[in-house]
Amino acid sequence: MLTVWHCTPGTVEEWISEVRTGMRYSASRALWPSERGLRIGVQRLDSRFAAYRDAVGLDPALEFHSLRRSYITHLIEDGHDPLFVQQQVGHDHASTTAIYTCVSSDFRTRSLRRVLDATIEAALRPGRTS
């Protein structure tokens, strides 16, 4: 997966060079090893996410997989090409990516405004052909 935000590579590099190296199983090939040296499993990620979510009082409907939906939504709202987003997350079909996309009402309003403005501008342009 490529990173698209400028802070991501530095954050991962800091994890690798400063945090992971001090871990008991730093010789493991896993980027995110568990306390036993194995890769962290999805079930563990889910349970830890739920514990943090509950501790800060977030909606119980939020789950670890919500981060994937957020990633896709942020890419779309930041203006990345939908095909790029689809390829980033490994979906075969754009319709699958669309299911994951939950854009904000502000984004929908801005998108509609751009289309309406372009349509009005084209209609008022001198020398137009109708």
Side-chain angles (χ1 to χ4, degrees), residues 11-63:
T11 302
V12 173
E13 178 55 40
E14 184 177 339
W15 163 257
I16 292 168
S17 65
E18 297 180 27
V19 178
R20 193 180 171 289
T21 56
M23 295 178 75
R24 180 176 172 193
Y25 292 100
S26 63
S28 165
R29 291 183 49 204
L31 182 58
W32 314 105
S34 73
E35 66 278 0
R36 291 180 301 280
L38 305 171
R39 286 177 173 80
I40 297 174
V42 174
Q43 185 176 10
R44 182 68 174 154
L45 290 171
D46 284 339
S47 66
R48 292 301 294 168
F49 184 85
Y52 292 134
R53 176 202 64 212
D54 295 344
V56 297
L58 295 175
D59 187 335
L62 292 173
E63 57 189 11

Side-chain angles (χ1 to χ4, degrees), residues 1-128:
M1 169 138 336
L2 298 175
T3 59
V4 294
W5 291 288
H6 71 281
C7 63
T8 306
T11 302
V12 173
E13 178 55 40
E14 184 177 339
W15 163 257
I16 292 168
S17 65
E18 297 180 27
V19 178
R20 193 180 171 289
T21 56
M23 295 178 75
R24 180 176 172 193
Y25 292 100
S26 63
S28 165
R29 291 183 49 204
L31 182 58
W32 314 105
S34 73
E35 66 278 0
R36 291 180 301 280
L38 305 171
R39 286 177 173 80
I40 297 174
V42 174
Q43 185 176 10
R44 182 68 174 154
L45 290 171
D46 284 339
S47 66
R48 292 301 294 168
F49 184 85
Y52 292 134
R53 176 202 64 212
D54 295 344
V56 297
L58 295 175
D59 187 335
L62 292 173
E63 57 189 11
F64 185 72
H65 200 72
S66 299
L67 298 175
R68 182 174 173 85
R69 288 187 288 276
S70 289
Y71 177 68
I72 292 169
T73 298
H74 288 301
L75 289 175
I76 293 295
E77 288 190 345
D78 286 348
H80 292 277
D81 182 89
L83 179 59
F84 168 78
V85 177
Q86 177 186 336
Q87 292 171 344
Q88 273 286 287
V89 297
H91 291 157
D92 290 332
H93 306 284
S95 59
T96 305
T97 307
I99 293 169
Y100 280 75
T101 306
C102 305
V103 296
S104 67
S105 59
D106 287 344
F107 177 78
R108 289 190 300 270
T109 300
R110 285 191 314 271
S111 298
L112 181 58
R113 179 85 268 160
R114 274 194 309 274
V115 171
L116 290 173
D117 288 348
T119 302
I120 291 169
E121 183 182 326
L124 297 176
R125 191 174 301 127
R128 70 179 196 274

